[in-house]
Amino acid sequence: HAKENGRGKFCVFANEMNQRVFEYLWLDTNLRKALELEQLVVYYQPKLDRDGEVRSAEALVRWNSPERGLVPPGDFISYAEESGLIVPLGRWVMLNVLQQIVQWRNEGIYLRVAVNVSAKQLLNQSIYTDLKQALNEAGLTDCPIDIELTESCLIENEAGALTLMKQFQELGAQVHLDDFGTGYSSLSQLARVPIDAIKLDQSFVRNINKQPVAQSLVRAIVAVAKTLDLQVIAEGIETKAEEKFVMTNGVDGRQGYYYAKPMPAEQLGHWLAKHPARV
Ligand code: C2E
Ligand code: MG
Ligand code: MG
Ligand code: MG
């Protein structure tokens, strides 16, 4: 029996391996094509300030695949990171966002946009020089782009990443530490990295009403952030109770399905027109 069990397990394992290899190969041909054929599309999720105003949105890429429909980034970003395709993909997102910002301005909508950046995109200076050049070409004298990066960016290439973060800030971009509180974050690290804000990971918000310790953690993080003059943004707010908790505990910005899901650019224009500042 033991033998059979072991064999059964191996089969399950081999099957999973096959699926993963198949998926990798599928992505390898199709995501590259998707980029060339402009099948990627940027969705935008509004971010609310303390006063309930929306001055910024987060860019979240999706893939409009003829075969699979609208594919979420969770299904292809890690492949793009492994294969290196994240570099041209990230460049496409950045340029697309900048075009959108210019178009919005022509319609009288002034928004900053936060763009997610992976560790691999920080391995050389091109992301910075590309952004600078694109701002010039767009005729923009300010920088309406902010950068969201995770702590893995610091782990994989610390010195280079820190330099780039400072350069982004000098350009006028804010740098936000995404998914804060997951992975390897430590509060003491915050003191030595050039950032403007931390984005509290959704898991904190999700546990606020289930685990008293989550509440204490959020309060402690906010307290340290304030001491360091950092803004705190809570992501993943889905309920009124979650909103209430973060607002009464010093969180500066908020984002989540409770306000709006990520949506195409045009739809955000309509949403903004109808959105009253929400305190
Ligand atoms: P992230 O940057 O932490 O983005 C937050 C994710 O949570 C988004 O998922 C968003 O749609 C989702 N979300 C927002 N509010 C709520 C809520 O109230 N409840 C729940 N359950 N979820 C909420 P999405 O769009 O699937 O993106 C997943 C991740 O993919 C992002 O996490 C980011 O790490 C990555 N990503 C997305 N676009 C890009 C990109 O252009 N470049 C790179 N490098 N990564 C990207
Ligand atoms: Mg993000
Ligand atoms: Mg996040
Ligand atoms: Mg995330």
Side-chain angles (χ1 to χ4, degrees):
H1 277 295
K3 218 176 184 178
E4 269 169 35
N5 272 339
R7 207 183 139 90
K9 264 184 197 153
F10 176 75
C11 283
V12 170
F13 178 68
N15 249 329
E16 276 172 19
M17 282 289 285
N18 274 337
Q19 273 174 24
R20 287 190 53 166
V21 170
F22 180 82
E23 182 63 13
Y24 192 95
L25 292 174
W26 189 85
L27 284 169
D28 200 47
T29 25
N30 290 286
L31 189 58
R32 210 169 290 275
K33 250 197 295 186
L35 197 55
E36 286 162 20
L37 298 176
E38 302 256 342
Q39 289 172 356
L40 299 182
V41 38
V42 180
Y43 274 43
Y44 294 86
Q45 187 182 31
K47 297 163 108 170
L48 277 73
D49 285 350
R50 191 164 249 299
D51 58 6
E53 296 282 352
V54 176
R55 297 186 179 85
S56 152
E58 178 174 6
L60 295 155
V61 72
R62 273 102 181 85
W63 171 11
N64 213 338
S65 156
E67 246 173 280
R68 293 186 178 183
L70 199 63
V71 185
D75 289 0
F76 61 88
I77 288 290
S78 63
Y79 159 77
E81 290 173 343
E82 274 175 57
S83 64
L85 204 61
I86 193 69
V87 172
L89 191 156
R91 184 181 302 125
W92 182 87
V93 169
M94 187 81 91
L95 296 182
N96 197 272
V97 164
L98 219 47
Q99 280 174 12
Q100 186 59 53
I101 289 175
V102 170
Q103 194 184 315
W104 273 329
R105 285 189 180 190
N106 291 334
E107 299 166 15
I109 298 170
Y110 284 78
L111 264 191
R112 301 185 66 78
V113 176
V115 171
N116 290 285
V117 167
S118 301
K120 270 238 168 89
Q121 298 173 258
L122 299 179
L123 289 180
N124 62 52
Q125 290 263 310
S126 68
I127 183 167
Y128 169 75
T129 48
D130 286 350
L131 173 59
K132 218 174 144 174
Q133 191 189 335
L135 287 169
N136 275 332
E137 283 169 11
L140 295 173
T141 48
D142 58 328
C143 175
I145 299 262
D146 298 318
I147 304 289
E148 291 192 10
L149 36 84
T150 57
E151 292 145 299
S152 60
C153 293
L154 295 165
I155 291 154
E156 288 177 33
N157 162 37
E158 164 121 352
L162 292 179
T163 306
L164 273 165
M165 289 158 81
K166 284 193 202 105
Q167 286 175 303
F168 281 132
Q169 287 180 327
E170 280 157 22
L171 199 60
Q174 287 196 7
V175 179
H176 296 183
L177 203 51
D178 207 348
D179 303 343
F180 184 79
T182 62
Y184 301 92
S185 37
S186 78
L187 282 168
S188 62
Q189 195 186 25
L190 291 179
R192 51 171 204 89
V193 292
I195 54 171
D196 302 282
I198 56 174
K199 293 190 80 178
L200 263 188
D201 191 65
Q202 318 199 357
S203 53
F204 287 102
V205 173
R206 205 65 61 243
N207 287 325
I208 274 169
N209 299 305
K210 294 180 206 131
Q211 301 174 1
V213 70
Q215 301 194 359
S216 310
L217 280 170
V218 170
R219 290 194 187 101
I221 292 169
V222 170
V224 173
K226 296 288 130 166
T227 310
L228 296 168
D229 232 351
L230 299 174
Q231 304 251 87
V232 181
I233 300 162
E235 51 177 24
I237 294 182
E238 291 183 354
T239 66
K240 179 143 195 69
E242 289 165 355
E243 174 184 71
K244 187 167 178 229
F245 178 82
V246 301
M247 285 191 71
T248 50
N249 282 282
V251 166
D252 305 289
R254 44 213 155 96
Q255 192 181 12
Y257 293 173
Y258 184 56
Y259 311 105
K261 288 192 173 178
M263 58 189 115
E266 203 191 314
Q267 205 176 314
L268 181 62
H270 299 311
W271 186 88
L272 285 168
K274 283 186 290 180
H275 173 81
R278 168 172 189 161
V279 182

